Amino acid sequence: MKGPPRRMAEEADGPVQIWGGHAVEAALSNPARLIHKLWATDNAAARLAKPISERRLVAERVLPKDLDRKLGNDTVHQGVLIEADPLPEIDTATLAEQAAAGGPIVVLDQVTDPHNVGAI
């Protein structure tokens, strides 16, 4: 899972930034996710052309160094970044209902490397 969401503002209900090809593609594919802004390199925009067009979004074209400035030089953004509203939190009762219906539940504690989450 590249690019876990992070808060852009101090307020709890503020927008989040999501970056990385798979994370952004998942966010674009989720109709519950309200996306405010999309920045993409030419290559990333081409890779994500279908979900971008399905959402009727227009990517602001940027260079990788522009995203480096926004996110930090050590961030693996893969040429794409979105600003979106966070999804609502799911309560434990809803999770239990989904598990009873056959959905998996994975509980993680103290994961510090997002690549480990992606491996799971």
Side-chain angles (χ1 to χ4, degrees):
M1 177 166 114
K2 300 218 191 250
R6 78 174 181 185
R7 299 275 176 211
M8 292 182 56
E10 290 298 315
E11 60 265 5
D13 296 324
V16 294
Q17 290 180 325
I18 302 171
W19 61 89
H22 294 294
V24 169
E25 183 175 14
L28 290 169
S29 299
N30 184 347
R33 177 75 73 175
L34 179 60
I35 298 171
H36 299 287
K37 186 88 174 162
L38 167 65
W39 295 271
T41 62
D42 288 340
N43 288 338
R47 283 191 312 270
L48 296 169
K50 185 177 181 197
I52 290 171
S53 68
E54 287 172 351
R55 289 293 294 261
R56 295 185 174 100
L57 295 171
V58 176
E60 180 178 324
R61 297 301 170 104
V62 293
L63 298 173
K65 66 181 179 180
D66 299 323
L67 295 178
D68 290 342
R69 276 194 291 270
K70 287 181 179 296
L71 298 170
N73 290 333
D74 60 339
T75 303
V76 184
H77 51 69
Q78 298 176 318
V80 64
L81 165 67
I82 62 171
E83 178 182 304
D85 284 351
L87 295 174
E89 301 248 347
I90 298 175
D91 60 55
T92 54
T94 303
L95 286 174
E97 288 173 16
Q98 290 176 352
I105 293 180
V106 178
V107 179
L108 305 173
D109 185 27
Q110 298 183 8
V111 176
T112 58
D113 183 349
H115 294 97
N116 291 335
V117 177
I120 292 166

